[in-house]
Amino acid sequence: GCFEQTSCSAYPNAMVLDYLNATDSKDNDTRAKANDLLNRGYKRLTSFEAPDKGYEWFGANPGHEGLTAYGIMEFTDMKKAGGDVDQGMIDRSANWLMSHRDGNGGFKREQHAYHDFGRISDDILNAYIVFALAESGYTNIKKEFESSYKKANDSKDPYMMAMMANASYAMGDVVKGDALMDQLLSKQDANGSWTGTTHSITYSQGQSLTTETTSLAIMAMIKSPGKNGGALTNAVQFLVGSRSG
């Protein structure tokens, strides 16, 4: 399959391995299997790097900014889980992405895209790229961060606000992160969830958008130094309860 299809199995393997490590699992057989699957998935994913760098669904030129941002975050999480990941490749991809800054606080955009990546709004795409870079440790994006932060704040879109709250904490700007977190907490639904007002980075809508927005809000609450225990518990309970099996 393509980069997205490979990610559907490779990324969960990283999460499983991270969980086994975090819980100090003694199940060495499962740990070894997860590690093997993660590294096999990683090697497959790197085959989709475009000749002129960045990532594309089938490895052709030109790379796509949104897919590359997704890849950078995926590779970073794989490395954190213990995968044999080339940091030089991640840096190369991040530098390629940052070379596509448009000078106005956003990123240039390759219009060719598979699936629903081509339908994403510029504001969602720019905020996602900032979020992915910041989460992966790249903070030389001050102008782009400020621009997407303002748009998230003005839009009142919980999906954008959750992404930029995460980015704020990753960038070390607790003040901005807390300001967005206060707004997010005021928008939490009675059932513990949040829903974006438009779409996600993969143009998810409906229940998928609710799941993604709530997950991002949970990630931001975990990073927040504030006392969000009740809201966090309700959000996690919603997420667990929303599984369809």
Side-chain angles (χ1 to χ4, degrees):
C2 67
F3 189 96
E4 276 187 82
Q5 290 169 320
T6 304
S7 295
C8 285
S9 58
Y11 215 155
N13 288 329
M15 295 176 188
V16 168
L17 187 57
D18 183 60
Y19 173 76
L20 293 173
N21 292 336
T23 56
D24 195 24
S25 171
K26 306 303 181 186
D27 187 345
N28 292 328
D29 289 343
T30 300
R31 187 192 293 268
K33 182 178 180 181
N35 190 68
D36 177 62
L37 289 170
L38 183 149
N39 286 321
R40 286 165 56 192
Y42 165 71
K43 290 176 182 177
R44 170 70 175 162
L45 286 168
T46 56
S47 71
F48 298 114
E49 186 174 20
D52 292 341
K53 307 314 169 191
Y55 277 84
E56 196 268 350
W57 282 264
F58 297 98
N61 281 327
H64 187 275
E65 293 80 7
L67 191 70
T68 301
Y70 181 90
I72 288 169
M73 191 179 296
E74 181 174 13
F75 293 135
T76 298
D77 284 342
M78 285 180 159
K79 185 167 186 176
K80 288 177 180 176
D84 185 15
V85 177
D86 179 9
Q87 184 61 46
M89 178 277 295
I90 302 178
D91 292 341
R92 180 170 69 241
S93 300
N95 289 332
W96 178 88
L97 194 52
M98 287 187 281
S99 74
H100 284 228
R101 288 179 282 199
D102 63 12
N104 299 313
F107 294 83
K108 298 173 186 177
R109 178 174 184 170
E110 169 54 41
Q111 293 302 315
H112 165 73
Y114 289 99
H115 310 130
D116 283 328
F117 265 86
R119 303 173 66 189
I120 311 160
S121 71
D122 288 342
D123 288 348
I124 292 290
L125 179 65
N126 288 332
Y128 182 82
I129 292 173
V130 169
F131 163 58
L133 287 171
E135 284 284 300
S136 302
Y138 302 97
T139 58
N140 187 27
I141 47 171
K142 185 69 173 176
K143 186 173 185 177
E144 292 73 29
F145 167 74
E146 295 288 351
S147 177
S148 285
Y149 182 92
K150 183 178 186 305
K151 288 179 179 177
N153 193 50
D154 292 345
S155 73
K156 308 305 179 189
D157 175 2
Y159 180 78
M160 280 191 71
M161 288 196 295
M163 282 197 295
M164 292 312 299
N166 277 287
S168 297
Y169 292 129
M171 296 278 287
D173 196 331
V174 176
V175 173
K176 280 189 167 62
D178 285 349
L180 283 180
M181 184 56 62
D182 287 343
Q183 292 191 61
L184 269 174
L185 291 173
S186 71
K187 292 178 176 293
Q188 188 175 24
D189 193 86
N191 67 5
S193 70
W194 286 266
T195 300
T197 57
T198 57
H199 56 272
S200 74
I201 184 63
T202 53
Y203 211 81
S204 299
Q205 296 177 305
Q207 181 63 27
S208 293
L209 181 57
T210 299
T211 301
E212 290 177 43
T213 306
T214 303
S215 299
L216 286 166
I218 289 171
M219 289 168 60
M221 281 190 284
I222 291 171
K223 294 183 180 73
S224 169
K227 303 297 182 183
N228 306 313
L232 178 59
T233 298
N234 290 339
V236 171
Q237 287 177 343
F238 167 81
L239 206 60
V240 172
S242 67
R243 294 177 300 173
S244 66

